[in-house]
Amino acid sequence: MIIRSSRELKALFHDLGPGDIFIGMLAYKHLKQSVLIDLLERGVTCLPSPLSQNLNRSKVAQAFTFKAWMLPHTSVITRRMDLVDAINQYNKLGLTAVLTKQENMHCGHGVRRWENIETLYNSVALSKSSYPFVLQPFLNDLTDVRVIIVADYIEAYGRHNPDNFRMNIASGGKYYPYALDQKQEEFCRAIMERGKFPYAHLDLQITESGEYYLAEIALNGGIKGASIRRRELDKKKQSMLEQLANP
């Protein structure tokens, strides 16, 4: 059985088993992780994959899973002791300005720059609600690139904001075409394979020396700087999921 809507999934949820397939994003707001585990344990196939859906909703999970592809010294901070350890590491390396990404915030709203890691500690150490978050060195002069990949369709565009380190177009950034090279595409596809993303919107950070790192990845995201329209992109994504369900 192939299920294509959340309403149908909820109606048949307890009857599903091996061989059944659900195509779509789970709509259970507070139970999504539990529902994914439940379906996995019963042998139900979910498309997009449960791993990609879980990573899609968590910046912290992305930093943990994709650490090898992210800026060096990217850390997941889940408690005060993690932050103390990071202070030792960053000071030893001579890293001053840092950047944090708050869990469950989007469009650049949860991204904060701190002049140094001690300022960060003084602000968040004693607040339990501050955790978890992602900690990274803050680097100037990075080129920010949004990449969209669906099967053999690939498009990229740069984002720049001269008035704000947040490059998101929603935060006032401008966009321009960007030519992704073969190695950068392979880099993106390796990340997608690791996270079992059937398609993805990836944000890359490219240094002046040409090194590139993953900032974030999502199953859906803004496409304001892309030539493809939303309806056409959604059609490509749906077509790919259908192909995976009917190999």
Side-chain angles (χ1 to χ4, degrees):
M1 181 190 312
I2 298 180
I3 297 171
R4 294 180 173 84
S5 73
S6 295
R7 179 174 295 181
E8 187 179 9
L9 176 65
K10 290 179 180 179
L12 299 173
F13 184 81
H14 298 289
D15 299 321
L16 299 177
D20 293 324
I21 299 172
F22 171 62
I23 298 177
M25 299 290 287
L26 288 178
Y28 296 82
K29 185 173 182 181
H30 299 294
L31 293 172
K32 185 173 290 187
Q33 191 169 21
S34 297
V35 170
L36 283 171
I37 293 172
D38 190 330
L39 292 173
L40 276 173
E41 289 293 324
R42 286 189 278 147
V44 179
T45 298
C46 295
L47 299 170
S49 72
L51 178 57
S52 67
Q53 292 200 44
N54 187 57
L55 290 169
N56 179 71
R57 62 192 291 267
S58 173
K59 289 178 171 56
V60 169
Q62 288 187 29
F64 177 80
T65 303
F66 300 122
K67 183 178 176 67
W69 287 272
M70 291 188 170
L71 280 171
H73 314 301
T74 293
S75 302
V76 173
I77 307 299
T78 61
R79 56 181 185 150
R80 191 184 312 142
M81 198 62 221
D82 292 340
L83 187 52
V84 171
D85 290 341
I87 290 173
N88 292 332
Q89 180 191 29
Y90 275 50
N91 285 340
K92 190 176 296 183
L93 294 168
L95 300 172
T96 51
V98 298
L99 181 128
T100 59
K101 295 179 180 179
Q102 196 69 36
E103 185 78 328
N104 300 319
M105 295 191 74
H106 309 285
C107 300
H109 296 164
V111 179
R112 300 180 177 92
R113 180 187 186 279
W114 308 83
E115 292 303 319
N116 57 67
I117 199 166
E118 283 294 345
T119 302
L120 168 64
Y121 181 85
N122 292 338
S123 298
V124 308
L126 300 180
S127 172
K128 290 184 178 180
S129 63
S130 297
Y131 306 98
F133 61 88
V134 177
L135 172 68
Q136 295 180 313
F138 178 83
L139 299 182
N140 285 308
D141 302 320
L142 288 173
T143 298
D144 181 281
V145 176
R146 167 66 54 90
V147 183
I148 303 168
I149 299 178
V150 185
D152 59 353
Y153 176 82
I154 182 165
E155 181 174 1
Y157 56 92
R159 301 181 299 182
H160 177 66
N161 188 343
D163 305 313
N164 193 328
F165 75 88
R166 299 169 185 84
M167 301 300 179
N168 310 66
I169 296 174
S171 298
K174 307 299 181 183
Y175 57 87
Y176 57 91
Y178 183 88
L180 206 69
D181 66 32
Q182 184 64 36
K183 288 189 177 297
Q184 290 170 339
E185 179 180 344
E186 291 171 358
F187 176 83
C188 292
R189 291 191 183 277
I191 292 167
M192 292 171 64
E193 174 59 30
R194 173 64 179 87
K196 302 304 177 188
F197 280 73
Y199 46 78
H201 299 235
L202 305 98
D203 291 341
L204 303 185
Q205 297 172 314
I206 304 175
T207 68
E208 287 185 304
S209 60
E211 298 168 311
Y212 39 89
Y213 302 99
L214 174 70
E216 292 182 21
I217 183 172
L219 287 162
N220 293 298
I223 61 169
K224 191 171 182 180
S227 60
I228 194 170
R229 297 300 90 194
R230 178 70 66 181
R231 181 176 296 183
E232 182 183 356
L233 181 61
D234 288 346
K235 187 176 179 179
K236 286 181 179 293
K237 290 179 178 179
Q238 187 65 27
S239 175
M240 184 171 189
L241 296 179
E242 293 288 346
Q243 289 176 29
L244 291 172
N246 299 278

